[in-house]
Amino acid sequence: MTNSETKATLSFSDGSASLEMPIYKGSVGPDVIDIRKLYGATGMFTYDPGFMSTAACNSSITYIDGDKGELLYRGYPIEQLAVNGGDFLETCYLLLNGELPNAAQKTEFVDTVTKHTMVHEQMQFFFRGFRRDAHPMSVLVGTVGALASFYHDSLDINDPHHREVSAIRLIAKMPTLVAMAYKYSIGQPFVYPRNDLSYSANFMHMMFSTPCEPYKVNEVLVRALDRILILHADHEQNASTSTVRLAGSSGANPFACIAAGIACLWGPAHGGANEAALSMLEEIGNVDNIPEFIKQVKDKNSGVKLMGFGHRVYKNYDPRAKLMRETCYEVLNELGLQDDPLFKLAMALEKIALEDEYFVSRKLYPNVDFYSGIVQRALGIPTSLFTGIFALARTVGWIAQWKEMISDPEQKIGRPRQLFVGSPKRDVPPIAKRG
Ligand code: CMC
């Protein structure tokens, strides 16, 4: 971050105050105006619901150019990482450490993560407290938060070693917890991790093995899962990441912060969109129903949205959506499902929407979730677990951003202000005099 020669000046039309504010330049992307002295100098706050114009921190992890449809992790384009960047654990290393690992670093990192894949045996009793039909996201909010009560030896957020160990534990244990949530929901025994398998193959094993039948690793499907994880690993200051940072800004432990992120991700405008997109395709049913559906989407009173379309930052094709569509082809071909009706429906819907003035004028393009549901369904993952897979992938991004925040000397407890529009001070009337 460097100081710009240019300064911003705020002046009021009634001449009551004038304030000069520094402008900072990042390495790429929009500059920012430092408004920290604004309240002291003018007694006023800024007003920015939804943080449309507010940078809440500086970060060197992920960069998005929404107009170009570009996503970079530590400077590397997502397309290169997804195709040539190795597996998900390489992306994890990159996000956490800033550089891609060399061969020795990779071996050591994989070894370390692998040694933390089991969860405390007592954790299974938490699962047993849930109804079998509990939503996996509710189970994950609870069980990830509960990790804090098992791993006291890595809770000191001021100790860099503790932070590192917690980060590794979260990355290593999330697949185990997500698979346990699934197994519990279908009444099958929990399956322990296998450390001879890759991160994604081990997850498939914990999901699909039973004591009577091992899961046979299919490399195409494992690669597809790995790609889903890479594409969802981080996305700069989105709602759940900002939630993790805000929770962490009070000094809360990392397990509690990630549980907060999972809670935020659950919403249909964020991570829940992959589940919602698939349900939407199933509801539309076939290509003939698309025009009627699009009519409803355009009707503001209907409350219907084209799920998997639109993004706060991307005003162009989400680069992750292109990669996910490619993966969709690969997986469906591998499974002999080339004629999958939902995939055909999704492609027809995308084509119609991309030509429609409503979507074109609002710059609404498919986002990653438009196709990720179809891939996950083909992998055998139930719809209700889609957002759980997103949480599993995003954990590394959350924890990398949390670590960055803790070591940032400018970090302060997050405490937004408000424009108060309620009643000014008044006296409590006796009950007989209340209207
Ligand atoms: N279908 C129909 N209309 C839409 C959609 C949509 N999916 N998304 C935005 N619009 C319209 C919106 O009604 C508004 O129209 P108007 O200007 O006439 O009022 C205009 O486009 C601008 O939308 P906005 O709500 O101001 O945009 P936003 O930046 O606040 O919202 C969003 C972004 C992702 C919440 C929204 O596009 C949405 O709800 N999309 C569907 C849910 C979805 O797919 N979410 C996944 C996001 S990617 C995964 C992730 O990172 O979590």
Side-chain angles (χ1 to χ4, degrees):
M1 172 161 114
T2 55
N3 261 315
S4 165
E5 306 245 305
T6 312
K7 309 270 178 249
T9 306
L10 177 74
S11 56
F12 295 90
S13 54
D14 63 2
S16 56
S18 166
L19 176 67
E20 191 179 89
M21 293 167 291
I23 294 179
Y24 306 132
K25 292 188 161 305
S27 37
V28 269
D31 298 345
V32 299
I33 303 171
D34 180 350
I35 59 163
R36 281 178 288 186
K37 298 225 165 82
L38 183 71
Y39 179 62
T42 66
M44 288 187 195
F45 301 132
T46 54
Y47 184 60
D48 187 18
F51 306 107
M52 303 286 287
S53 295
T54 298
C57 61
N58 69 73
S59 179
S60 54
I61 302 176
T62 294
Y63 175 74
I64 302 172
D65 185 325
D67 294 322
K68 284 197 210 151
E70 186 175 75
L71 168 62
L72 313 176
Y73 292 165
R74 301 281 190 185
Y76 295 114
I78 191 69
E79 293 83 355
Q80 289 184 30
L81 289 169
V83 178
N84 313 321
D87 59 14
F88 174 64
L89 283 183
E90 281 188 32
T91 293
C92 290
Y93 186 97
L94 172 70
L95 289 169
L96 286 171
N97 300 303
E99 295 298 336
L100 283 164
N102 61 28
Q105 289 164 330
K106 166 97 187 269
T107 307
E108 193 193 336
F109 184 69
V110 171
D111 192 52
T112 312
V113 171
T114 307
K115 291 211 170 91
H116 284 282
T117 49
M118 277 205 303
V119 293
H120 193 292
E121 195 63 6
Q122 198 84 1
M123 279 297 294
Q124 58 173 296
F125 299 111
F126 274 83
F127 283 88
R128 296 192 200 287
F130 286 96
R131 282 171 55 134
R132 296 263 176 194
D133 61 356
H135 194 284
M137 289 300 275
S138 109
V139 175
L140 287 173
V141 170
T143 53
V144 172
L147 290 177
S149 41
F150 289 96
Y151 301 106
H152 297 139
D153 58 342
S154 65
L155 292 187
D156 180 359
I157 64 156
N158 298 312
D159 181 331
H161 178 65
H162 279 219
R163 298 203 292 268
E164 189 63 34
V165 173
S166 283
I168 297 288
R169 279 184 168 147
L170 277 155
I171 293 165
K173 293 182 198 310
M174 270 303 275
T176 314
L177 294 178
V178 173
M180 285 173 85
Y182 172 60
K183 287 298 197 189
Y184 184 73
S185 74
I186 55 170
Q188 287 187 3
F190 300 129
V191 173
Y192 288 104
R194 262 183 56 192
N195 289 352
D196 60 324
L197 295 176
S198 72
Y199 189 87
S200 291
N202 173 51
F203 177 66
M204 301 281 259
H205 150 76
M206 291 188 292
M207 286 283 293
F208 302 121
S209 286
T210 69
C212 358
E213 206 170 318
Y215 168 74
K216 288 191 197 72
V217 176
N218 175 322
E219 283 307 332
V220 175
L221 305 191
V222 166
R223 224 177 25 247
L225 176 68
D226 219 63
R227 183 173 276 192
I228 292 177
L229 302 185
I230 292 171
L231 298 186
H232 288 84
D234 196 40
H235 217 221
E236 53 121 300
Q237 308 311 319
N238 58 82
S240 57
T241 302
S242 300
T243 301
V244 170
R245 279 185 179 259
L246 195 56
S249 76
S250 72
N253 72 71
F255 302 104
C257 297
I258 301 304
I262 295 171
C264 177
L265 187 75
W266 193 354
H270 193 4
N274 50 18
E275 183 175 339
L278 197 81
S279 307
M280 173 195 76
L281 290 173
E282 277 164 351
E283 240 168 72
I284 297 173
N286 78 63
V287 177
D288 298 339
N289 298 332
I290 293 178
E292 177 52 31
F293 176 74
I294 297 272
K295 211 162 101 195
Q296 285 178 32
V297 168
K298 292 184 195 173
D299 174 5
K300 291 273 172 224
N301 299 319
S302 72
V304 177
K305 274 193 169 180
L306 178 48
M307 299 311 285
F309 254 69
H311 198 273
R312 168 62 60 80
V313 183
Y314 293 118
K315 301 302 169 196
N316 200 329
Y317 212 102
D318 176 344
R320 303 169 302 170
K322 278 188 199 143
L323 292 157
M324 197 43 75
R325 195 171 53 176
E326 223 175 83
T327 301
C328 222
Y329 273 115
E330 277 167 27
V331 167
L332 297 177
N333 276 338
E334 172 68 15
L335 297 173
L337 299 171
Q338 295 88 336
D339 295 324
D340 179 64
L342 277 198
F343 185 48
K344 293 221 151 120
L345 181 64
M347 288 204 301
L349 185 56
E350 177 189 325
K351 186 166 183 302
I352 291 170
L354 288 178
E355 286 164 1
D356 190 296
E357 197 277 332
Y358 175 94
F359 296 94
V360 174
S361 63
R362 289 171 178 77
K363 299 189 176 170
L364 298 171
Y365 292 88
N367 60 53
V368 65
D369 289 329
F370 194 66
Y371 287 109
S372 69
I374 301 174
V375 177
Q376 293 195 50
R377 193 182 61 134
L379 296 182
I381 294 165
T383 314
S384 62
L385 204 66
F386 290 178
T387 317
I389 304 287
F390 192 159
L392 151 55
R394 185 56 59 86
T395 294
V396 62
W398 288 330
I399 202 72
Q401 300 264 356
W402 173 84
K403 282 179 76 202
E404 182 180 65
M405 179 194 70
I406 301 290
S407 7
D408 180 353
E410 298 210 324
Q411 188 265 327
K412 279 186 175 312
I413 185 166
R415 179 41 169 107
R417 305 305 299 257
Q418 64 176 7
L419 175 66
F420 183 67
V421 294
S423 169
K425 186 173 173 189
R426 53 185 171 159
D427 292 324
V428 176
I431 193 161
K433 292 207 168 157
R434 294 178 206 164

